[in-house]
Amino acid sequence: MAHTVTAGLAKIREDLAGLYQDLHRHPELSRQEHRSAALLAGRLRAAGVDEVTEGVGGTGVVGVLRGGDGPVVMLRADFDALPVEEKTGLPYASEQRGVDADGTDVPVMHACGHDMHAACLVGAATLLAGAREQWRGTVLLVFQPAEELGCGARDMVDDGLFARFPTPSIVLGQHVGPLPAGFVGHGSGPVMAAADSLNITLYGRGGHGSRPESTVDPVLMAANVVTRLQGVVSREVPPAESAVVTVGRLQAGTKDNIIPDTAGLGVNIRSATESTRALVRAAVERIVRAEAAASGAPREPDLAWSGAVPALVSDPAATATTLAAFTDHFGAERIMPMPPVNASEDVGVFGESLGVPTVFWFWGGLDAQTVVTALQEGRLDELPGNHSPHFAPLIEPTLSTGVEALTVAALTWLDTP
């Protein structure tokens, strides 16, 4: 059945490539995806999707494709972009700029492949809509905004996604990455890490740089915090567990001879299990407060947690079933196992909120021979990956593989007539 349905891809491949290039050329920042949302909604309506709703969870788009009585299967794609200046040199490269949440003018690029995700979901929706006689059930098509902020899935759930639309029994999603194009990568169980962000404000007492004894120096306080945090993973997390603590922002002062009143830090944490996540969060808070106390800070530091994303778990049993269908469709030679990834994805919020399984996989977007050569020469880290200004998947076979994977996965969980 899957081969029969995906045979229709030949008729829409060129049109989908045009959609992908349009999305890539016109990226939009998280929670600002208005043009993209309208374009995607229009494509769903043109494909014959029964119900299309815009503005879900902000700028999200939801389509309901009905094929008679049967299970409800959810297909999800994200479609927000990043504040990155594109350096691919492609004829359809982005030249867009935007204003971020802090009011700063920034370049904008689809540096994580979300444009490819969205185009593939439109393709799968089109194939499934044109072959309703081949399946029974309902397909819930979810175009999610603001994945890069880690809040888009939660925003859609909080906006009544599963109260306003059919409730799925399984959530299916995918992500393009620096794998060989045409290949599908898979894992089982925890496949992507949990993520937490922490903004810290340390309070000191400012003064002249020549009289440090009259001040409480928040710069030194911040430096000690940064250094001390490096011991959390190496000395508190068990070696068998996985965690990362990164201080990506340290801001203080305006002039070299002025000791400021405050210093700010931005900390990002990745963890694989809830127990490690709780351990690391508690350790970070303990260290920040202790360093402030040790420095004689005039007041307690401010700690503001944000961007909380749970670890993404690809349900083992459901993954095995889906993987068997992929192997049958693509051939075993195009299926490759992958280790857990320390990056994060909020798609798990959908299944977790309902208590239903999520199946998530990766597929490749880089020239296969380039990847093989880099592997042989030990240069894999030099390949452009997600969030790189040089990252842009090959249109083909990446687009066709992504459309087929979503379509095959959906048909695996829908009923047959």
Side-chain angles (χ1 to χ4, degrees):
M1 179 175 62
H3 287 287
T4 302
V5 176
T6 57
L9 180 55
K11 297 179 181 178
I12 64 172
R13 187 178 284 116
E14 184 176 346
D15 181 60
L16 288 177
L19 170 62
Y20 165 71
Q21 292 179 59
D22 188 341
L23 291 168
H24 190 86
R25 192 191 299 270
H26 301 98
E28 295 172 298
L29 294 172
S30 303
R31 289 180 164 168
Q32 301 178 30
E33 311 95 330
H34 302 288
R35 179 188 182 276
S36 302
L39 178 62
L40 295 169
R43 288 300 187 114
L44 292 185
R45 294 186 180 102
V49 174
D50 300 283
E51 303 168 24
V52 180
T53 305
E54 300 177 60
V56 181
T59 50
V61 177
V62 177
V64 179
L65 182 60
R66 301 186 186 278
D69 293 336
V72 179
V73 175
M74 175 174 155
L75 299 180
R76 174 270 199 178
D78 41 14
F79 64 104
D80 55 330
L82 287 159
V84 173
E85 183 175 359
E86 182 159 358
K87 297 180 181 178
T88 63
L90 290 167
Y92 52 89
S94 168
E95 297 179 357
Q96 299 291 108
R97 299 192 69 84
V99 178
D100 67 14
D102 296 324
T104 304
D105 180 80
V106 294
V108 188
M109 175 193 174
H110 269 299
C112 202
H114 295 185
D115 46 353
M116 183 62 74
H117 300 176
C120 287
L121 184 51
V122 168
T126 303
L127 293 181
L128 290 166
R132 292 187 214 224
E133 71 282 358
Q134 300 286 330
W135 55 273
R136 292 290 179 268
T138 299
V139 182
L140 185 67
L141 305 157
V142 175
F143 292 84
Q144 179 209 308
E147 186 279 332
E148 295 294 353
L149 298 181
C151 62
R154 178 59 58 191
D155 288 344
M156 295 190 82
V157 171
D158 289 346
D159 196 25
L161 173 65
F162 299 128
R164 299 162 57 186
F165 304 98
T167 303
S169 56
I170 192 166
V171 175
L172 304 170
Q174 61 181 7
H175 205 300
V176 68
L179 304 173
F183 285 70
V184 175
H186 66 91
S188 183
V191 293
M192 299 187 77
D196 295 280
S197 295
L198 175 63
N199 286 315
I200 302 166
T201 303
L202 297 168
Y203 295 96
R205 185 171 62 247
H208 201 289
S210 67
R211 299 186 63 239
E213 76 279 2
S214 67
T215 72
V216 174
D217 189 348
V219 179
L220 179 60
M221 198 186 311
N224 287 334
V225 168
V226 172
T227 302
R228 189 71 179 82
L229 288 179
Q230 306 313 303
V232 173
V233 174
S234 67
R235 289 296 177 269
E236 300 192 43
V237 175
E241 294 289 328
S242 174
V244 176
V245 177
T246 296
V247 180
R249 178 179 65 85
L250 199 167
Q251 296 169 319
T254 57
K255 197 172 184 295
D256 61 285
N257 65 346
I258 301 173
I259 294 174
D261 285 322
T262 63
L265 299 93
V267 180
N268 185 261
I269 297 169
R270 307 288 168 140
S271 53
T273 65
E274 282 302 312
S275 59
T276 298
R277 187 182 189 187
L279 182 155
V280 174
R281 284 176 57 120
V284 170
E285 289 201 12
R286 184 192 74 236
I287 287 169
V288 172
R289 298 185 193 282
E291 288 293 348
S295 300
R299 57 177 285 191
E300 283 276 310
D302 288 338
L303 295 92
W305 290 97
S306 64
V309 175
L312 173 54
V313 177
S314 192
D315 181 81
T319 297
T321 299
T322 307
L323 185 61
F326 284 165
T327 303
D328 180 67
H329 183 80
F330 294 112
E333 68 279 3
R334 291 175 61 185
I335 309 298
M336 55 189 297
M338 289 183 59
V341 177
N342 260 338
S344 304
E345 247 279 5
D346 67 349
V347 64
V349 169
F350 294 115
E352 189 176 86
S353 68
L354 290 172
V356 303
T358 297
V359 177
F360 196 80
W361 63 91
F362 303 87
W363 91 106
L366 300 186
D367 175 71
Q369 187 55 54
T370 300
V371 176
V372 171
T373 301
L375 177 62
Q376 292 171 340
E377 298 177 357
R379 297 186 296 101
L380 279 179
D381 288 345
E382 297 179 15
L383 295 177
N386 303 84
H387 292 214
S388 163
H390 300 282
F391 182 73
L394 294 174
I395 294 180
E396 289 295 348
T398 310
L399 185 59
S400 292
T401 305
V403 172
E404 291 182 43
L406 284 174
T407 305
V408 170
L411 292 171
T412 301
W413 296 98
L414 292 164
D415 285 345
T416 55

